[in-house]
Amino acid sequence: MLILGLESATAEVGCAIGGHEGVLASSHSARGKRHAENLTPAIEFVCKQARVELSEISCVAVDNGPGLFTGLRVGVASGKAIAQALRVPMIAVSSLDLLAFPLRFSDRRIAAVIDARRNEVFWSFYRQVPGGIQRVSEPTVGSPDELAAELLAQPGDTLLAGDGAVRYADVLSRRPGVEIAGGDHAYPSARSLVQLAHAKALREDWIRPEQVELLYLRKPDAEINWSVREGA
């Protein structure tokens, strides 16, 4: 089974192809063109690098959030269009799960933190379990100070990943025992998406394109702006 993974929940857009042999090719970009302009060339690139025709794809995996409204819509809409054209199933994975997964070998508590703009962040906590990670809190949206208070209230050390953790490091690292993961841990990875999706595919844990739902956690910015305008 070959899986095409599309990741577009944050400032970075990426895609990857893989299956039982692991990830065959991937592409990620956080600068330059908009997501809609980046995604199609990225898909063509990874197909070429993996020596795979798009028609060979057996499943399309997407990041269903939380994340930035426009980016999420681009990735999920593209994934649905490809899945419907190929008549293949889909798999949806949370952006927070994708952030936490590469840190699965840590013995510390993991917090995946995404910049939600408007001085807010999305987050969830995870712990290591045999074979991977387990989410131990529901995805939440709130201010960096609210997350810092949660970190302060919890015992033990915590490893934070995500662009939200990087942006608000001065607030979130006030508590001793809190570390911000650097390097490639700022954005959800399409490589992780393919890996997690493959595990789901082996269990036949997939859905039809029309069943994919986005996890926003709050109203889109356009609705918020309109509500503020009406209130004024």
Side-chain angles (χ1 to χ4, degrees):
M1 169 174 284
L2 286 175
I3 298 171
L4 171 66
L6 306 180
E7 201 322 287
S8 62
T10 63
E12 181 175 271
V13 61
C15 64
I17 289 177
H20 69 277
E21 298 178 84
V23 177
L24 301 178
S26 65
S27 172
H28 296 84
S29 176
R31 291 186 176 182
K33 298 178 181 178
R34 296 177 182 271
H35 285 22
E37 297 169 314
N38 269 330
L39 195 53
T40 298
I43 293 171
E44 294 174 351
F45 173 78
V46 296
C47 284
K48 182 178 180 180
Q49 294 300 309
R51 298 181 182 179
V52 168
E53 296 293 331
L54 195 59
S55 59
E56 298 178 67
I57 296 299
S58 306
C59 178
V60 179
V62 293
D63 178 344
N64 69 331
L68 304 179
F69 181 76
T70 302
L72 278 174
R73 291 187 64 182
V74 167
V76 172
S78 298
K80 285 184 175 183
I82 294 171
Q84 288 170 340
L86 298 178
R87 297 184 178 180
V88 298
M90 295 187 70
I91 291 173
V93 181
S94 165
S95 55
L96 296 168
D97 293 355
L98 297 177
L99 269 177
F101 182 69
L103 301 174
R104 60 192 178 279
F105 301 113
S106 173
D107 58 358
R108 291 174 284 182
R109 180 190 304 106
I110 301 166
V113 188
I114 291 176
D115 183 10
R117 310 281 174 84
R118 294 183 171 275
N119 198 38
E120 289 185 324
V121 290
F122 303 117
W123 77 82
S124 277
F125 289 101
Y126 298 79
R127 67 177 178 182
Q128 182 191 46
V129 295
I133 53 168
Q134 180 182 47
R135 190 191 304 159
V136 295
S137 71
E138 290 300 311
T140 303
V141 60
S143 69
D145 286 326
E146 289 176 299
L147 175 54
E150 281 209 33
L151 291 169
L152 189 62
Q154 297 192 29
D157 297 339
T158 306
L159 182 61
L160 276 62
D163 60 347
V166 174
R167 180 173 182 178
Y168 298 104
D170 58 333
V171 176
L172 301 177
S173 59
R174 292 173 185 168
R175 178 196 180 280
V178 171
E179 181 184 347
I180 311 297
D184 298 326
H185 300 294
Y187 300 109
S189 165
R191 295 179 64 88
S192 294
L193 175 57
V194 166
Q195 290 175 284
L196 288 174
H198 183 253
K200 284 176 171 281
L202 292 176
R203 302 191 300 269
E204 297 187 357
D205 185 13
W206 46 53
I207 55 180
R208 297 189 301 272
E210 64 271 18
Q211 294 176 307
V212 177
E213 296 183 356
L214 297 181
L215 179 62
Y216 291 127
L217 296 186
R218 71 177 186 195
K219 294 180 179 179
D221 287 351
E223 289 188 29
I224 294 173
N225 290 335
W226 184 253
S227 299
V228 172
R229 181 178 176 183
E230 284 188 326

